[in-house]
Amino acid sequence: MGVMDGTQQLLEAMDGLVWLTDPQGRFVTCGWRRWARAARADGAESYAEPDTLIGRSMLDFVEGEPVRDAYARFMDALRQGRTETIGFSFRCDSPGARRRFRMAITRVEEDGTLRALLFQSQRLSERARVPLALFDFAAMRARIEDIAAAPIVEMCSLCQRVAFPPGGATREWVEADEYYRRGGPGEVCVSHTVCPHCEHHVVRRARGGEAPEEGVRP
């Protein structure tokens, strides 16, 4: 699929991170200027160039099988025409800031035929806080090579809450700072997932064509 006339200029002008896939979810193009800047800022230099992205499934860049499954279900609902747009808010924190975003995924049609899926991620708010190591994923991966048996902490990719206690039979999903207050270990491996709350209020509603609840987890 070639880029439709005028599409590239439009993507470059849109706010936030914007990218386009074919109906099967394979990367076509994006607003390269903002994309490259964000990739370099996040330490993902290898994803700043078109050759590393075009033709690959966007699911290749989503961490955690439950999270990949959620996005696959979103795209399936759009492909089947159960909804025209799926929009939801989510958290994507950095070590020193709480960051809230909105994702919109929209059908792009031409002459009545689905030609593409448009993804747009916009930052809604950012608030500084005391740095939390749970969100320093690059440093965590570097340290983990020296840890023989680090516990696995599950983190919801939509609300950024973590399951406490790690590996417990009965767990509660809490904010990362609360995790530390309760004595959660610092040397861990983070496993990205979708918590039961977000699965019900965001993923299931969206895949059924319903509007997901906004502001579920502030």
Side-chain angles (χ1 to χ4, degrees):
M1 168 186 157
V3 178
M4 290 173 278
D5 291 345
T7 298
Q8 191 62 52
Q9 293 90 333
L10 178 62
L11 295 181
E12 296 293 349
M14 293 177 69
D15 183 41
L17 293 182
V18 187
W19 65 98
L20 201 67
T21 74
D22 67 12
Q24 286 70 48
R26 293 185 292 260
F27 200 96
V28 174
T29 188
C30 71
W32 289 112
R33 179 170 54 86
R34 289 187 178 88
W35 181 283
R37 186 166 62 235
R40 294 183 178 109
D42 289 343
E45 185 77 25
S46 60
Y47 295 150
E49 300 299 328
D51 290 347
T52 64
L53 300 172
I54 293 175
R56 292 182 61 180
S57 170
M58 70 149 284
L59 297 179
D60 292 346
F61 307 98
V62 178
E63 292 193 43
E65 187 60 35
V67 192
R68 286 191 291 273
D69 179 65
Y71 273 93
R73 285 184 280 171
F74 292 154
M75 291 189 288
D76 187 57
L78 289 161
R79 277 193 297 267
Q80 295 183 18
R82 296 200 300 271
T83 183
E84 295 295 317
T85 300
I86 290 174
F88 55 92
S89 60
F90 68 99
R91 289 261 300 278
C92 185
D93 290 6
S94 68
R98 288 169 57 103
R99 303 188 301 187
R100 191 172 184 79
F101 291 77
R102 176 175 170 76
M103 172 67 76
I105 315 172
T106 306
R107 287 171 57 94
V108 179
E109 296 184 359
E110 189 173 58
D111 297 327
T113 300
L114 176 64
R115 292 290 305 277
L117 298 175
L118 176 67
F119 294 75
Q120 182 179 22
S121 175
Q122 296 173 287
R123 185 177 301 183
L124 301 178
S125 64
E126 180 168 346
R127 188 175 69 196
R129 65 164 176 222
V130 175
L132 299 178
L134 272 179
F135 297 103
D136 193 347
F137 302 119
M140 191 179 299
R141 283 191 293 268
R143 289 197 312 269
I144 231 64
E145 296 175 357
D146 300 323
I147 300 174
I152 296 175
V153 171
E154 290 187 285
M155 176 182 290
C156 178
S157 285
L158 297 181
C159 70
Q160 301 279 266
R161 295 195 176 193
V162 296
F164 186 87
T170 301
R171 301 176 302 166
E172 182 181 357
W173 291 84
V174 300
E175 291 285 350
D177 49 2
E178 178 65 17
Y179 163 87
Y180 283 118
R181 277 196 293 268
R182 296 188 186 188
E187 300 290 350
V188 298
C189 291
V190 170
S191 175
H192 294 275
T193 188
V194 179
C195 73
H197 188 95
C198 289
E199 169 69 25
H200 177 75
H201 290 281
V202 178
V203 179
R204 292 184 184 179
R205 290 174 64 91
R207 72 175 180 174
E210 298 179 64
E213 292 187 11
E214 294 291 347
V216 175
R217 297 281 183 153

